[in-house]
Amino acid sequence: MNQTTAVILARRPDRTFVADDLSLGTIDLPELAAGQALVRNQYMSLDPSTRGRMDPGEKQYTTNFTIGGPLDGSAVGVVVESSSPKLPVGATVRHRLGWREYAVVDDAAATLCDISVAPATAWLSSLGQTGFTAYAGLLPVGRLQPGQTVLVSGAGGAVGSMAGQFARLLGAGRVIGSAGGAEKCAWLRDDCGFDVVINYRDGDFAAELPGAAPDGIDLFFDNVGGWQFAAALQNMAINGRVSMCGAISNFGTQEQPSTACLIEAVLRRITIQGFIVRDYEDLRPEFEQRVIGWLASGELVDRATIVEGIANAGAGLAGLLSGANVGKALVRLSE
Ligand SMILES: NC(=O)c1ccc[n+]([C@@H]2O[C@H](COP(=O)([O-])OP(=O)(O)OC[C@H]3O[C@@H](n4cnc5c(N)ncnc54)[C@H](OP(=O)(O)O)[C@@H]3O)[C@@H](O)[C@H]2O)c1
């Protein structure tokens, strides 16, 4: 096999991403060199950061896509040919060359996934970068302590649903979420064990938050930014901490609150820390051990919204950016 179908950046999005910003194309696959394997991709992750990488501006932590070139991102697949003893034929591996049906991967850039302990999808979700982001944001960054009140914005998405559940499993006293729509809110309350969920699309988030956190928020895990960030700051406990994971509300809008809200950080002695998950790689073994245990005991819910086929990947990303997914958003590329 020397070619594969891939998703190509056709043009840079004009503020709001639409599926037509991408196209399907054929790219060459290199001959296998020593230490490489040919992988048939089964699932790939849909991530908000993919949208950011379509812009021309420098992101400081990742590279941007070029017009006419293929996208990439996390994927899991099965090794079908190998020149590496570390990646045997038949093994399930995770790597960074998604957005294509087949990939030639270096063994140094691929991780074996044990599908006897969790399905392939979980290695992109609870056991993947998604879950690891939630873990890093709560513990080394957020310094969560048992009994504390935690607010998670974007709670119905991939990272948020893990952050809220991990907080509960790590002993938080009260877990509050914000999410858009009744279905996500019901799922977070009934299946994921959140104590309170605010439907920010139907209600008034800023007005409901004081009642949801009467003693103040000790740790705010923020996926959304914007108006929810500003409202949360006004409800922080003294010496509270904000773990800044992302600002998905920034995409496609120029309406943002003024930085005047930051005075709350002074008044309430708040620590605000942004983070990039890859800086916490040394914690991955303890993270995987804990999550495998939580999945085995049934205490952790790992739900995915799965789009079928590479031809629908662009529509899947547009859906993700408008909140269509409940839990982790994935594309199935093959059985
Ligand atoms: N720091 C890191 O290392 C790192 C690593 C991975 C991800 N991230 C960030 O983590 C965040 C979550 O990523 P994810 O993979 O969980 O994505 P996701 O599954 O798409 O979840 C994001 C959630 O945000 C909500 N949302 C979207 N637009 C919104 C808006 N304008 N206002 C309020 N809520 C909105 C969405 O649904 P509803 O609107 O329906 O609630 C969705 O549930 C993103 O900001 C991402 O960039 C950071």
Side-chain angles (χ1 to χ4, degrees):
M1 169 172 290
N2 52 17
Q3 288 195 316
T4 189
T5 303
V7 179
I8 309 291
L9 181 64
R11 63 186 182 209
R12 300 207 184 277
D14 179 16
R15 231 185 268 174
T16 302
F17 167 81
V18 292
D20 283 349
D21 294 330
L22 306 177
S23 62
L24 274 191
T26 302
I27 59 169
D28 292 337
L29 288 168
E31 290 284 319
L32 282 197
Q36 291 187 322
L38 176 65
V39 175
R40 173 173 52 78
N41 285 336
Q42 292 175 299
Y43 294 94
M44 64 175 226
S45 173
L46 291 172
D47 299 289
S49 58
T50 304
R51 167 66 189 86
R53 294 178 65 198
M54 293 177 194
D55 288 335
E58 172 59 53
K59 294 293 176 305
Q60 309 297 340
Y61 74 103
T62 188
T63 52
N64 286 348
F65 302 121
T66 48
I67 295 172
L71 272 55
D72 60 58
S74 294
V76 290
V78 176
V79 175
V80 291
E81 254 180 79
S82 184
S83 299
S84 166
K86 294 180 188 161
L87 303 178
V89 170
T92 299
V93 295
R94 183 177 60 205
H95 59 88
R96 296 281 314 157
L97 291 176
W99 296 89
R100 64 202 74 192
E101 292 185 321
Y102 286 83
V104 171
V105 301
D106 294 334
D107 55 15
T111 313
L112 290 173
C113 303
D114 183 351
I115 55 169
S116 71
V117 298
T121 51
W123 289 96
L124 291 174
S125 179
S126 53
L127 279 164
Q129 211 68 337
T130 289
F132 194 39
T133 301
Y135 192 79
L138 289 172
L139 287 180
V141 180
R143 288 176 275 135
L144 173 66
Q145 297 294 320
Q148 291 189 325
T149 294
V150 178
L151 168 67
V152 180
S153 63
V159 173
S161 60
M162 288 299 146
Q165 292 187 83
F166 290 177
R168 169 174 58 76
L169 290 162
L170 291 165
R174 188 172 178 79
V175 180
I176 305 159
S178 74
E183 184 198 351
K184 280 184 196 173
C185 293
W187 175 63
L188 291 167
R189 260 192 312 264
D190 301 344
D191 296 351
C192 299
F194 281 61
D195 296 291
V196 187
V197 186
I198 300 173
N199 182 348
Y200 79 90
R201 285 192 205 268
D202 284 358
D204 181 341
F205 178 74
E208 291 181 46
L209 197 49
D215 299 325
I217 299 156
D218 298 301
L219 172 57
F220 173 34
F221 188 111
D222 189 22
N223 291 304
V224 164
W227 298 103
Q228 292 193 35
F229 176 83
L233 284 197
Q234 295 185 344
N235 290 276
M236 296 297 294
I238 302 296
N239 293 318
R241 293 173 312 286
V242 180
S243 185
M244 284 189 70
C245 179
I248 197 168
S249 71
N250 284 0
F251 292 135
T253 181
Q254 291 183 323
E255 286 179 28
Q256 292 291 332
S258 136
T259 52
C261 65
L262 286 172
I263 190 60
E264 295 295 335
V266 178
L267 304 178
R268 295 167 193 265
R269 295 79 147 178
I270 300 166
T271 303
I272 301 174
Q273 186 178 340
F275 71 99
I276 294 293
V277 63
R278 73 168 59 143
D279 297 341
Y280 298 90
E281 207 52 47
D282 56 322
L283 295 181
R284 197 175 285 272
E286 71 163 58
F287 153 75
E288 287 186 355
Q289 196 182 9
R290 272 182 152 151
V291 172
I292 286 169
W294 289 332
L295 288 171
S297 65
E299 295 169 285
L300 179 67
V301 177
D302 184 339
R303 176 170 170 178
T305 301
I306 300 178
V307 169
E308 293 295 336
I310 196 166
N312 293 316
L317 183 63
L320 170 107
L321 294 169
S322 61
N325 55 301
V326 182
K328 179 70 189 169
L330 298 173
V331 180
R332 194 193 326 260
L333 297 167
S334 70
E335 286 303 317

